Amino acid sequence: MQRDRCGGCGSAALEPFLDLGKTPLADAFPKTEDEPETWYPLQVTVCAKCWLVQLLEVVPDTDLFGADYGFYSSTSPSIVEAHQAYASKLFTAYGGQAKRLTVEIACNDGSLLQHFAAAGCDTLGIDPAAGPAQAARSRGLEVVTAPFTYGLADQLLDSHGPAGLILANNVLAHVADLNDFLGGVAHLLAGDGVAVFEVQYLPDLLAGNQFDHIYHEHRYFFSTTSLLPLLARHGLALQSIEHIPAQGGSIRFAVARASGIRGYWPSTGLPIPPEGYLTSMASYRAMQGRVEYLRDRLLALLAEEKAAGRKVFGYAASAKSTTLLNYCGIGTDQIERVVDTTPAKIGRFTPGTHIPIAGPGEHPDTYLLMAWNYLSGVLRREREFTAAGGKFIIPIPMPVIL
Ligand code: ZN
């Protein structure tokens, strides 16, 4: 279904600016090469009233987050490490709020929330994906398997009381109804409570050509320009904000009721750049040409590897790789297999492009690094491979071979 109104302000002034063709769902890895797949248009539009960037196609939640949803936070060592540091930082800033009740929306397998439970906080996790929610329960966490909505917030207020701290990392981009979701957060939040969000930061996506972050689970892309009016509509005010390198560039921000406490967030991240250019359509329209240029450069690099008789594997069957491979038209002609450590993905195929996914073992001559946002960690882990002459193609922000 295509949206005809902005998911934030409701205006009909939507201006499509980036067309990435059609792709299957980024996290739906087929079990066999000929398993039927559903393809959806992948077009991005911006609201000319509130400048919220959003996908034109709205795939229903039931299709996006079904029983087969394959992502588990704890399978990524970088995420486990980051969660420990993040929990401790949150606890320093908002320990008083956390001790009353910490609610994590989209808690996945509980890898962040467990640190709050271990510190003696009452905790409640919420996640619509059955598999990861069950994994969180097996850690002893209480989890509701449902999408977060205003209706659910109302029930939880009755059953658990108001939340001192609400965590919602990398979830705001995924929600079907932004206003219902933020209304629910405001409703569940204690008068002096704080809600902390992490979202990918649109200026980094635009400036860094990160078109592979665009897939159907990511329905919205945020800047402070589009966030401020959205929060204000629900009586929420931005208390502090931090710009961090996660996911190629993200912002973490704390909100409270406008009449509530002053938040405290010691910012150690990158500066928040001026966003004036985000209210000009030209800033968005320039992306299509850059992405097409990137695609042609990447295909040329892969063709050179093939012509020289070098074997290429993909590195990491991330959700992002689905957009990268499908948009660029990269299949088994260019890449023999994709290597990934996630047990649930090994033995499956990449969505749409049907490249076999294998566990680590044999090295190729060259990897196409599809988890480019973990570049430094990958280079550390694969020191022996590169020392022996192995190469990496880094596709984003512009393809290079290392
Ligand atoms: Zn709007």
Side-chain angles (χ1 to χ4, degrees):
M1 187 196 75
Q2 290 212 334
R3 65 166 70 250
D4 55 6
R5 300 261 156 197
C6 169
C9 73
S11 157
L14 294 177
E15 302 274 353
F17 66 91
L18 181 62
D19 187 347
L20 298 172
K22 279 185 166 189
T23 68
L25 297 181
D27 258 320
F29 294 89
K31 292 190 184 77
T32 60
E33 259 174 293
D34 48 8
E35 190 175 304
E37 294 177 285
T38 312
W39 296 64
Y40 300 90
L42 194 54
Q43 285 170 288
V44 195
T45 186
V46 62
C47 170
K49 287 278 181 309
C50 74
W51 303 102
L52 179 64
V53 170
Q54 48 211 293
L55 290 193
L56 208 50
E57 185 76 17
V58 184
V59 179
D61 271 353
T62 42
D63 295 353
L64 276 181
F65 307 107
D68 209 24
Y69 184 66
F71 182 75
Y72 290 72
S73 300
S74 297
T75 55
S76 162
S78 332
I79 292 182
V80 170
E81 215 172 284
H83 276 171
Q84 204 158 7
Y86 186 37
S88 128
K89 186 167 178 170
L90 280 168
F91 215 77
T92 307
Y94 304 119
Q97 280 95 344
K99 279 192 180 122
R100 276 183 289 145
L101 172 64
T102 299
V103 173
E104 187 181 10
I105 302 171
C107 65
N108 198 269
D109 60 10
S111 67
L112 176 64
L113 195 58
Q114 63 174 343
H115 297 291
F116 291 86
C121 303
D122 284 337
T123 64
L124 177 65
I126 300 164
D127 203 295
Q134 194 48 45
R137 276 187 208 104
S138 67
R139 296 179 195 261
L141 297 169
E142 182 186 353
V143 182
V144 178
T145 311
F148 182 81
T149 58
Y150 187 91
L152 181 66
D154 198 44
Q155 286 172 30
L156 295 177
L157 197 57
D158 273 349
S159 57
H160 291 71
L165 179 63
I166 296 179
L167 307 175
N169 292 314
N170 295 309
V171 57
L172 206 53
H174 299 199
V175 306
D177 185 339
L178 268 183
N179 287 301
D180 181 74
F181 184 95
L182 288 170
V185 168
H187 189 50
L188 184 59
L189 205 58
D192 60 350
V194 171
V196 179
F197 297 84
E198 181 175 323
V199 295
Q200 246 180 305
Y201 188 46
L202 175 72
D204 287 318
L205 186 146
L206 293 176
N209 297 334
Q210 300 168 4
F211 73 96
D212 57 341
H213 273 312
I214 298 166
Y215 45 90
H216 296 95
E217 274 176 36
H218 291 162
R219 290 162 164 152
Y220 301 100
F221 301 89
F222 298 97
S223 58
T224 60
T225 304
S226 60
L227 272 169
L228 291 175
L230 190 60
L231 293 168
R233 195 173 301 124
H234 301 284
L236 296 170
L238 195 62
Q239 301 296 330
S240 39
I241 183 163
E242 185 180 25
H243 185 193
I244 57 171
Q247 307 297 326
S250 300
I251 46 175
R252 277 176 180 161
F253 56 94
V255 306
R257 293 197 174 146
S259 57
I261 63 147
R262 308 319 293 172
Y264 169 71
W265 188 266
S267 180
T268 50
L270 311 162
I272 300 283
E275 291 185 356
Y277 68 97
L278 290 181
T279 55
S280 154
M281 274 311 302
S283 306
Y284 301 93
R285 291 205 177 107
M287 185 140 185
Q288 182 82 43
R290 289 202 306 269
V291 165
E292 287 170 8
Y293 181 80
L294 185 158
R295 174 193 61 196
D296 296 347
R297 283 276 294 266
L298 180 57
L299 289 172
L301 271 181
L302 289 168
E304 278 171 29
E305 291 300 288
K306 191 173 175 174
R310 288 193 287 267
K311 197 193 290 183
V312 182
F313 290 176
Y315 195 102
S318 52
K320 291 201 281 305
S321 69
T322 299
T323 299
L324 182 80
L325 296 173
N326 280 285
Y327 173 71
C328 296
I330 298 169
T332 45
D333 264 1
Q334 291 95 341
I335 290 184
E336 189 182 305
R337 67 175 84 154
V338 174
V339 173
D340 199 282
T341 54
T342 312
K345 291 179 184 170
I346 294 169
R348 295 198 179 203
F349 294 85
T350 57
T353 48
H354 302 166
I355 305 169
I357 302 170
E362 185 200 336
H363 282 304
D365 300 294
T366 306
Y367 281 112
L368 171 59
L369 179 60
M370 299 189 287
W372 50 264
N373 50 320
Y374 295 118
L375 175 63
S376 57
V378 169
L379 289 181
R380 265 200 308 278
R381 265 201 301 285
E382 304 298 349
R383 220 175 284 141
E384 276 181 33
F385 166 70
T386 50
K391 303 277 186 207
F392 277 98
I393 295 174
I394 318 298
I396 309 279
M398 201 41 83
V400 289
I401 187 156
L402 296 182

